[in-house]
């Protein structure tokens, strides 16, 4: 489905209903993060299409994302204080 030809970079995933699809590692991660599983390869293509035209997701923070952002903000401020 991805167009990747190197079998070492491909992963087989199970679709809803028992079907199978072969994806590259990046698309396999995206498939694993889907809220609903695809029933067919066409569904999978639609769900994994280019996400650059979708609205930003960075505004939706989870607990881990907020903690990481806070930690790096503090680290950056401390570095800037040392330079001053």
């Amino acid at each position: 489905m991805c167009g990747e030809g190197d079998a070492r970079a491909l992963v087989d995933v199970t679709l809803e209903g028992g079907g199978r699809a072969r994806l590259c590692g990046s698309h396999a991660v995206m498939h694993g993060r889907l809220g609903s599983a695809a029933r067919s390869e066409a569904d999978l293509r639609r769900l994994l299409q280019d996400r650059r035209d979708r609205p930003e997701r960075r505004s939706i923070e989870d607990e881990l994302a907020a903690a990481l952002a806070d930690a790096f903000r503090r680290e950056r401020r401390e570095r800037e204080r040392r330079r001053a």
Side-chain angles (χ1 to χ4, degrees):
M1 185 182 131
C2 303
E4 174 66 51
D6 188 348
R8 296 172 294 178
L10 298 175
V11 178
D12 287 325
V13 297
T14 303
L15 303 176
E16 192 173 302
R20 306 217 15 107
R22 185 165 281 185
L23 304 173
C24 68
S26 296
H27 282 117
V29 169
M30 291 169 65
H31 173 262
R33 292 179 177 171
L34 288 175
S36 61
R39 297 187 67 75
S40 67
E41 197 169 307
D43 286 346
L44 194 57
R45 284 183 192 279
R46 183 181 49 78
L47 291 167
L48 299 181
Q49 70 187 0
D50 191 354
R51 298 161 58 117
R52 286 177 282 198
D53 60 350
R54 296 183 188 176
E56 284 289 330
R57 296 182 338 156
R58 283 181 265 177
S59 62
I60 304 169
E61 289 189 10
D62 60 15
E63 187 177 320
L64 176 59
L68 286 169
D70 185 50
F72 282 102
R73 267 193 298 270
R74 266 191 255 133
E75 180 182 305
R76 189 177 303 135
R77 281 192 301 249
E78 289 173 8
R79 242 185 290 148
E80 289 172 359
R81 284 186 198 136
R82 282 185 241 141
R83 289 182 189 162

